Amino acid sequence: MYRAPIRELRFVIHELIGDRHLSGAQGLADYSEELADAVLDQAARFAEEVLAPLNRIGDVAGAKWTPDGVRMPPEYKNAYAQYARDGWPQLRVPAEVGGQGAPAILGTAVEELWASANLAFKLCPMLSQAAIEAIHRCGSDEQRRRYLPKLISGEWTGTMNLTEAQAGSDLGAIKTRAVPDGGRYRIFGQKIFITYGDHDYTSNIVHMVLARIEGAPAGTKGISMFIVPKVLVNADGTLGARNDVSCVSIEHKLGIHASPTCVLSYGDGEGAVGELVGEPNHGLEYMFIMMNAARLAVGLEGYAVAERAYQHALAYARERVQGRAPRTHASAADEALPIVHHPDVRRMLLAMKAYADAARALALYASLQLDLAEHHDDAAIRAAALARGELLIPIVKGWSTETGILAASLGIQVHGGMGFIEETGAAQYLRDVRITTIYEGTTGIQANDLLGRKLGRDDGAALQAFIDEIETQLSALQAPDAGVARAVKATAEAVAQWRNVSRTLLRSYDETPEAALAVAVPYLMMSGIVIGAWLMTKSLDIAARQHARDAAFYGGKRQIARYYLEHVLPEAAALAKVIGAGGGSIVDADPALL
Ligand SMILES: Cc1cc2nc3c(=O)[nH]c(=O)nc-3n(C[C@H](O)[C@H](O)[C@H](O)COP(=O)(O)OP(=O)(O)OC[C@H]3O[C@@H](n4cnc5c(N)ncnc54)[C@H](O)[C@@H]3O)c2cc1C
């Protein structure tokens, strides 16, 4: 049974990260702690009562392709209808276009609950949100008027159509054609792997399609963005004829079975009618505007599934009786006990929770930066927050999803043989979370982005400013006990090492980019671990001070922070060694000899 970690979310948002920085910010006049708590409570109910019980049903039943379109499990159709009726699609939509204008920090917290409860379901609203943002930010007034109200009400859903067979990580290779036809375009081509590219939740689907206008420059500079609805929309907003786009098949996948992954064929007949969004050849630029939100939304999936897998494994470990307690244990040595009493099982559970807690704190901290970048009154603070938020996004995406996989795998191990058996449900978490390091840019692509773009573009200035602030905060901490003092020391050492490694790697990127990129993923992982340590040290400090107020909760926080700092943080030093050794062994490896 899934229980939304509301107490934990409140702790991170209000006490650790400090959403008070947002009160009174431009466009967030209504935001308050009380409002955030009320939204979280409602979201928790929907996640626990409606979405979570469907997770396994969707895994077993899956989405089904038929010649008349994709059919979703009926329980999912009902859940989607309730989701729309309850107004959830409006949560993150700006107030000026009819949404509730919630800040990213609250949106991230709520989306975690959807992703923990039912990852396959969550992807549909996530993609609609991306389509809404694309049309809102880059579309014309007429396009906003025609498409936004129904997307925002949830009556229609949206998709993002980037990938083609020859164009995955490299979108410059996109071949889908757009042929001018009066004021519109005719789209011809095939898109693959399109999430919720077809379904029967709603009467229409608005596809945001990247294509190349005939005669456009080659590569990334010649890509435009189009709105291509499944059913054409008349000027008065009513539905017209079927457009020339069809779902020719759906993929059979390792996980997220209730999320249809579609092959969409455009223009088998006269060409699908498409409307250009914004200017020709600016399609990838528009995608980049939405990239931060999209990568954050996938990054959170990693720790959301880790949290769910943890809860599942903990419940099993408390029930499954196997073996005797170690001799030093307080209880009688001969008594058979639940496996949670075995130190190694507790180690695995603590590791799962530590990954989830640290990644959650990082994602919510990054969300706050995006909020400050958008809403703060002071332009200098807005610019600094944007630089920091953008620096953190590839780490949120890459590190949270890689550790999400580790956590889900440990969840199986806690179950022993039963973890390998589908009925327990532990395996589904690993199968579902496995995609998160791949879509929305693989971990390798995130690492390239972190090193090449985020550090490379300002010679590491945003990173150095971030490290300066972490160091200032750590040295200002008046450690209330020896545990916090030890944590501050260990974290400060790791942060200093991270600063040095970053400088060296940037230099190496200038001189021998191939060798530097060969160790970009270890660098991304080290960055996640060290930032996680900073947030865990802050948690430990707060927990030590607040312990008397709620001993059960803050006692748990202290335990998990201590585990992280003693068992996860040391990995940063090992990764620093790997990065220091450089990518020579990889660059020198002849592909022919592999
Ligand atoms: C279930 C699912 C849902 C999806 N949903 C959508 C969707 O809704 N819309 C959409 O447009 N797409 C979607 N995708 C596509 C997804 O975004 C791509 O699969 C992903 O970007 C990777 O592209 P690829 O599969 O072609 O892998 P490739 O690009 O072929 O990559 C293969 C390997 O090479 C590595 N690699 C490639 N280039 C580089 C590089 N420059 N540097 C270092 N390493 C590199 C990768 O990291 C990876 O390990 C989905 C995919 C799946 C499986």
Side-chain angles (χ1 to χ4, degrees):
M1 195 206 303
Y2 170 63
R3 279 282 158 258
I6 291 299
R7 181 71 182 88
E8 176 69 26
L9 280 166
R10 286 191 181 139
F11 168 76
V12 178
I13 294 175
H14 304 322
E15 295 179 70
L16 178 62
I17 307 293
D19 56 343
R20 62 189 169 280
H21 297 297
L22 295 177
S23 297
Q26 282 172 20
L28 292 177
D30 295 339
Y31 183 78
S32 65
E33 274 193 20
E34 294 70 34
L35 180 83
D37 288 349
V39 171
L40 283 174
D41 284 342
Q42 284 172 26
R45 262 201 303 282
F46 189 72
E48 289 169 357
E49 293 169 14
V50 180
L51 296 183
L54 303 187
N55 202 35
R56 176 128 175 88
I57 294 173
D59 187 46
V60 174
K64 294 270 180 286
W65 184 89
T66 77
D68 300 321
V70 173
R71 299 285 173 254
M72 299 298 294
E75 298 88 344
Y76 276 63
K77 273 183 82 167
N78 294 338
Y80 180 82
Q82 188 177 342
Y83 179 89
R85 233 181 6 255
D86 290 355
W88 290 112
Q90 285 119 59
L91 184 70
R92 290 280 289 121
V93 177
E96 71 261 24
V97 281
Q100 295 165 19
I105 195 166
L106 182 56
T108 299
V110 168
E111 276 191 53
E112 174 195 330
L113 307 186
W114 305 155
S116 287
N118 197 319
L119 184 57
F121 178 90
K122 176 257 186 189
L123 295 171
C124 182
M126 180 186 91
L127 286 153
S128 293
Q129 175 68 30
I132 291 169
E133 228 178 296
I135 296 173
H136 173 53
R137 290 186 184 224
C138 313
S140 66
D141 287 345
E142 167 60 16
Q143 287 167 343
R144 288 192 198 104
R145 194 184 58 72
R146 192 129 43 103
Y147 294 105
L148 285 186
K150 292 223 162 66
L151 282 169
I152 292 171
S153 68
E155 279 172 85
W156 300 344
T157 65
T159 68
M160 302 307 276
N161 285 234
L162 290 69
T163 308
E164 298 174 10
Q166 78 296 342
S169 300
D170 178 12
L171 293 172
I174 280 176
K175 284 187 185 155
T176 295
R177 288 182 305 128
V179 181
D181 179 26
R184 295 185 177 185
Y185 290 81
R186 294 281 174 174
I187 310 293
F188 298 90
Q190 193 176 78
K191 293 287 179 181
I192 64 165
F193 294 161
I194 305 308
T195 299
Y196 278 92
D198 198 41
H199 58 76
D200 55 2
Y201 288 165
T202 56
S203 58
N204 205 2
I205 302 173
V206 180
H207 303 297
M208 307 302 295
V209 180
L210 290 186
R212 210 175 270 290
I213 298 174
E214 284 198 322
T220 52
K221 292 198 161 52
I223 293 170
S224 304
M225 184 190 277
F226 297 86
I227 297 173
V228 188
K230 173 178 169 181
V231 184
L232 294 170
V233 182
N234 301 317
D236 63 0
T238 56
L239 291 181
R242 260 305 287 262
N243 206 352
D244 186 10
V245 48
S246 59
C247 173
V248 293
S249 62
I250 62 173
E251 306 296 346
H252 300 280
K253 313 190 291 291
L254 182 65
I256 53 167
H257 293 156
S259 167
T261 305
C262 303
V263 177
L264 293 185
S265 184
Y266 291 88
D268 288 342
E270 70 285 9
V273 175
E275 297 175 32
L276 180 68
V277 176
E279 299 291 320
N281 302 333
H282 286 256
L284 266 194
E285 194 183 307
Y286 300 152
M287 279 289 167
F288 265 91
I289 297 176
M290 291 168 299
M291 200 74 92
N292 288 332
R295 291 187 165 172
L296 185 61
V298 173
L300 69 85
E301 292 172 2
Y303 66 81
V305 180
E307 168 72 36
R308 179 92 190 253
Y310 165 72
Q311 292 190 16
H312 203 98
L314 177 60
Y316 185 80
R318 282 186 171 144
E319 277 181 10
R320 166 75 175 160
V321 174
Q322 196 70 191
R324 307 279 177 273
R327 266 203 299 274
T328 52
H329 194 276
S331 58
D334 273 351
E335 190 188 347
L337 285 172
I339 57 171
V340 73
H341 291 280
H342 295 302
D344 187 56
V345 172
R346 281 211 297 286
R347 174 190 66 79
M348 292 189 278
L349 291 166
L350 284 164
M352 294 171 81
K353 184 153 172 55
Y355 286 137
D357 283 8
R360 174 188 293 113
L362 167 61
L364 290 166
Y365 178 75
S367 302
L368 179 76
Q369 302 310 309
L370 298 185
D371 285 328
L372 294 174
E374 197 172 338
H375 297 288
H376 203 280
D377 296 334
D378 185 328
I381 293 181
R382 281 205 301 276
L386 183 63
R388 185 166 301 173
E390 291 193 331
L391 171 74
L392 293 174
I393 292 296
I395 305 172
V396 172
K397 166 67 169 77
W399 186 63
S400 305
T401 55
E402 292 287 348
T403 51
I405 292 172
L406 291 179
S409 181
L410 283 172
I412 291 183
Q413 194 71 13
V414 168
H415 284 76
M418 287 310 286
F420 201 66
I421 307 300
E422 288 288 355
E423 281 87 82
T424 58
Q428 187 190 344
Y429 304 128
L430 182 61
R431 289 188 289 98
D432 283 356
V433 80
R434 193 61 192 83
I435 184 60
T436 60
T437 57
I438 297 172
Y439 59 20
E440 201 49 53
T442 60
T443 307
I445 295 298
Q446 304 305 320
N448 291 355
D449 179 51
L450 175 63
L451 179 56
R453 275 189 78 236
K454 304 300 166 58
L455 262 63
R457 70 181 173 189
D458 63 1
D459 202 24
L463 177 79
Q464 297 299 336
F466 183 36
I467 292 180
D468 288 346
E469 188 177 326
I470 292 177
E471 288 186 335
T472 308
Q473 284 194 17
L474 286 175
S475 51
L477 272 186
Q478 305 279 328
D481 62 31
V484 180
R486 268 197 308 277
V488 169
K489 185 166 177 291
T491 302
E493 281 169 13
V495 169
Q497 198 168 31
W498 185 37
R499 191 196 285 277
N500 288 337
V501 163
S502 305
R503 281 203 190 114
T504 313
L505 191 60
L506 252 178
R507 258 202 317 277
S508 137
Y509 183 64
D510 276 346
E511 290 156 13
T512 49
E514 199 188 355
L517 288 171
V519 289
V521 168
Y523 175 71
L524 179 148
M525 298 301 284
M526 179 189 181
S527 303
I529 291 170
V530 175
I531 302 169
W534 166 57
L535 292 162
M536 282 294 189
T537 299
K538 286 177 65 151
S539 298
L540 187 64
D541 178 60
I542 297 168
R545 291 168 198 282
Q546 301 292 334
H547 196 266
R549 214 156 53 87
D550 181 350
F553 177 75
Y554 291 109
K557 293 303 316 162
R558 291 173 86 164
Q559 261 175 9
I560 209 71
R562 181 176 163 204
Y563 174 86
Y564 185 96
L565 292 160
E566 291 178 7
H567 284 247
V568 180
L569 178 58
E571 290 170 19
L575 287 166
K577 269 196 155 177
V578 170
I579 302 159
S585 63
I586 298 165
V587 173
D588 295 344
D590 182 347
L593 300 180
L594 287 175

